[in-house]
Amino acid sequence: MDSILRFLVEVNKLKETIRTGWIIWRVKNPETIAEHIFRVSFLTYCLGWKKGLNLKRAIQCALSHDLCEVYAGDVTPLFYYENLDVRKKRDREILMKGIRLSKEEKEKMSKIKFENERKSLLKLIQPLKENLRNEIFFRWLDYEKGFSAEGKFTRQVDWIENLIQSLEYLGPKKSGRGWWEIAEEKIFDPLLLEFLKVIQIKFYHRKTFPKSTQEKELKGILEFILKIGKLKRMERTYWKAWGIKNAESVAEHIFFTSLLAWIFGREKKHLNQTKLLKMALSHEISAVIIGDTIPYIEKLPSQIKKRKEILKKWPRLPEYEKAKRFLRQYNKEKKAMEKLTLSLEPGLRKEIISLWEEYRKVSSAEAIFLNQVNVLAVLIQGVLYHKKYKITLTPLFEWAFEKCDDPILLSFLEKLSKL
């Protein structure tokens, strides 16, 4: 448990590590690495579902693909131009035209980047037990080298998410040919090539709209992915209420919860691991529509001192009051989920809503376990914020020990309480 805790504390740094490509472009309040991993993982889920891939392997490849950046940092292809300055028009034009390196130069830079990231990942996972260490490393290696269909697919999806983010941040004109050329160079899967066409239609307002059933379904996935992208910069309400600036976002929380579901869930042989990962990715996306909420606390005072006094105690309500509030919140979230997933094809839409519903009703073995994993994700962030901002942890630990009864997770809670 000590080794897992050390690993997770280090991984948590990805929530505060800004992706360097957007710094070059002077994007205000850009995404973090953790937020990027979140949307790559969900995009892998949706497109991998349509492709009929092994989603457990594919999502694990997505979750692990940038863990190495805890130590290696985020290195984008744009950094091959080391001396460019986006404040200068000439340099911006060079960036917009894309990378102009010889095949030999690209291969050399790629080898250097791979080796640096390999060493960084091995350093990160070194404390873990051998079987877990190997699993994370080989999922990352699969993403890098494409040993499986899932590894090849996830790597291409990563490039697509980069392209989508560039179009959202910079717009079609400023995004330019650079990201498109990289995407067209890296992407070869027929389904993903079709998805690129749908992205082109969406962002460049072409008159030809999707006609085939597949094009329409891919358009629906794109609409959904664009919506959940808003979670990248939606700060979690509980931490904001404590007055924490640049608090953890909903997307970062979902990424971290999904990683915990993988790490702790693999020890629970009776659980459906694929279902657990998909449920973790889906469990709080309703926040896109209704915002992030605090359990059993509907209104907080505007004055920060009064807010903190309320937050120092976990709300103790009669069971009937809790049930009434839960039902009200559940109905609100269900409507949000139905609206959020409206563009998805019926089978995928039904699955995502069902996963969310199981989680909220705690109606399956996977849901029972994930609800407890979610508590751990919150508590780890709370412990780290306590060290930095001196927030009160007593109510969070009360909540955690009341919610958790799984022996593995209780053992981890004990370790966390001594951190």
Side-chain angles (χ1 to χ4, degrees):
M1 286 300 168
D2 286 330
S3 63
I4 292 177
L5 181 54
R6 290 200 301 274
F7 167 75
L8 292 174
V9 168
E10 291 300 288
V11 168
N12 203 75
K13 293 175 182 177
L14 294 177
K15 295 179 183 179
E16 298 178 350
T17 308
I18 302 298
R19 300 197 76 211
T20 48
W22 310 127
I23 296 173
I24 290 178
W25 280 98
R26 303 174 79 188
V27 171
K28 293 182 180 179
N29 197 26
E31 65 175 347
T32 63
I33 294 170
E35 289 165 336
H36 165 69
I37 295 173
F38 155 72
R39 194 157 67 165
V40 171
S41 299
F42 221 124
L43 191 52
T44 297
Y45 169 18
C46 292
L47 293 171
W49 184 91
K50 186 164 183 59
K51 185 77 176 175
L53 296 178
N54 178 331
L55 286 179
K56 174 188 170 184
R57 178 186 288 270
I59 293 170
Q60 286 176 347
C61 284
L63 288 172
S64 62
H65 86 278
D66 273 347
L67 293 182
C68 57
E69 294 183 1
V70 169
Y71 299 128
D74 181 43
V75 179
T76 73
L78 297 179
F79 263 78
Y80 296 156
Y81 287 119
E82 294 177 355
N83 299 316
L84 295 185
D85 184 349
V86 291
R87 291 171 294 184
K88 298 177 182 178
K89 183 179 178 181
R90 178 179 171 277
D91 287 357
R92 285 199 302 273
E93 289 174 350
I94 293 172
L95 284 169
M96 288 172 69
K97 287 178 181 177
I99 299 161
R100 293 293 181 268
L101 296 174
S102 68
K103 183 180 178 181
E104 291 75 18
E105 287 174 317
K106 285 183 179 180
E107 288 178 353
K108 180 182 176 182
M109 295 299 291
S110 180
K111 287 178 182 178
I112 293 171
K113 181 175 181 289
F114 172 81
E115 188 57 25
N116 184 36
E117 292 184 345
R118 185 187 71 84
K119 290 178 180 177
S120 297
L121 182 63
L122 289 174
K123 178 183 176 182
L124 175 67
I125 63 178
Q126 190 277 327
L128 300 175
K129 288 183 178 179
E130 185 179 5
N131 57 352
L132 176 56
R133 185 170 67 239
N134 288 343
E135 185 169 281
I136 293 172
F137 179 76
F138 286 119
R139 287 293 179 266
W140 172 83
L141 195 62
D142 190 6
Y143 162 86
E144 288 287 334
K145 299 297 183 182
F147 295 132
S148 70
E150 289 75 19
K152 290 186 182 79
F153 191 83
T154 304
R155 189 164 180 83
Q156 295 173 73
V157 170
D158 181 35
W159 288 110
I160 288 178
E161 205 282 331
N162 286 328
L163 172 64
I164 292 171
Q165 190 62 77
S166 75
L167 289 164
E168 287 178 310
Y169 279 156
L170 307 174
K173 290 183 179 180
K174 285 188 178 180
S175 182
R177 292 197 302 270
W179 276 274
W180 276 106
E181 286 186 355
I182 294 170
E184 287 165 355
E185 176 188 336
K186 302 288 186 181
I187 294 165
F188 52 85
D189 182 271
L191 178 68
L192 299 183
L193 287 171
E194 199 73 31
F195 194 56
L196 282 183
K197 292 180 185 178
V198 170
I199 293 171
Q200 218 170 15
I201 292 168
K202 170 68 179 178
F203 283 93
Y204 292 87
H205 306 291
R206 297 209 172 181
K207 292 181 181 180
T208 54
F209 292 92
K211 295 179 181 179
S212 71
T213 300
Q214 176 159 289
E215 285 177 322
K216 290 176 181 177
E217 289 172 350
L218 291 174
K219 180 176 181 287
I221 289 174
L222 178 60
E223 295 295 336
F224 172 75
I225 288 298
L226 292 175
K227 288 175 184 176
I228 66 169
K230 296 175 183 177
L231 298 176
K232 288 184 176 185
R233 298 284 76 188
M234 182 184 288
E235 294 177 70
R236 298 266 284 167
T237 302
Y238 187 77
W239 309 127
K240 281 178 67 180
W242 275 103
I244 295 170
K245 295 181 179 178
N246 299 316
E248 172 196 44
S249 69
V250 177
E252 288 165 341
H253 168 71
I254 294 174
F255 151 69
F256 201 63
T257 303
S258 301
L259 185 64
L260 264 63
W262 171 10
I263 290 170
F264 290 113
R266 64 193 297 280
E267 302 296 330
K268 315 300 288 186
K269 304 303 180 185
H270 67 290
L271 298 181
N272 181 324
Q273 304 299 315
T274 306
K275 181 179 181 180
L276 187 62
L277 288 171
K278 293 189 292 186
M279 187 182 288
L281 288 173
S282 307
H283 81 286
E284 287 198 18
I285 59 173
S286 63
V288 171
I289 307 293
I290 62 172
D292 189 47
T293 58
I294 303 175
Y296 308 129
I297 301 177
E298 295 179 339
K299 291 184 180 179
L300 286 168
S302 57
Q303 293 181 347
I304 191 164
K305 286 185 177 179
K306 291 183 179 179
R307 284 207 310 269
K308 287 183 177 180
E309 285 304 311
I310 291 174
L311 294 172
K312 284 178 181 177
K313 295 181 180 180
W314 191 253
R316 297 295 173 190
L317 301 173
E319 287 302 316
Y320 74 88
E321 181 65 25
K322 284 186 178 182
K324 185 171 70 173
R325 293 193 183 195
F326 169 81
L327 186 60
R328 185 162 59 238
Q329 184 64 23
Y330 171 83
N331 289 331
K332 190 176 178 182
E333 288 182 24
K334 185 163 186 180
K335 287 180 182 177
M337 288 295 293
E338 289 170 347
K339 181 179 179 181
L340 177 61
T341 58
L342 195 59
S343 66
L344 296 176
E345 57 190 282
L348 181 57
R349 183 187 187 217
K350 182 180 179 181
E351 179 174 284
I352 291 173
I353 292 175
S354 295
L355 289 166
W356 166 84
E357 194 161 32
E358 278 186 33
Y359 173 79
R360 290 296 281 128
K361 289 183 175 180
V362 200
S363 59
S364 67
E366 290 78 16
I368 292 168
F369 187 73
L370 185 63
N371 267 269
Q372 297 182 48
V373 167
N374 178 66
V375 172
L376 282 190
V378 174
L379 196 56
I380 291 170
Q381 186 62 71
V383 168
L384 295 174
Y385 278 155
H386 170 71
K387 289 179 174 293
K388 190 172 182 179
Y389 300 106
K390 308 302 180 187
I391 71 166
T392 303
L393 287 177
T394 304
L396 288 181
F397 272 108
E398 285 182 16
W399 173 57
F401 279 107
E402 287 177 13
K403 291 279 284 187
C404 295
D405 59 13
D406 182 88
I408 293 174
L409 301 184
L410 279 173
S411 176
F412 187 81
L413 272 177
E414 292 289 348
K415 294 288 182 184
L416 195 57
S417 66
K418 298 171 184 175
L419 189 63

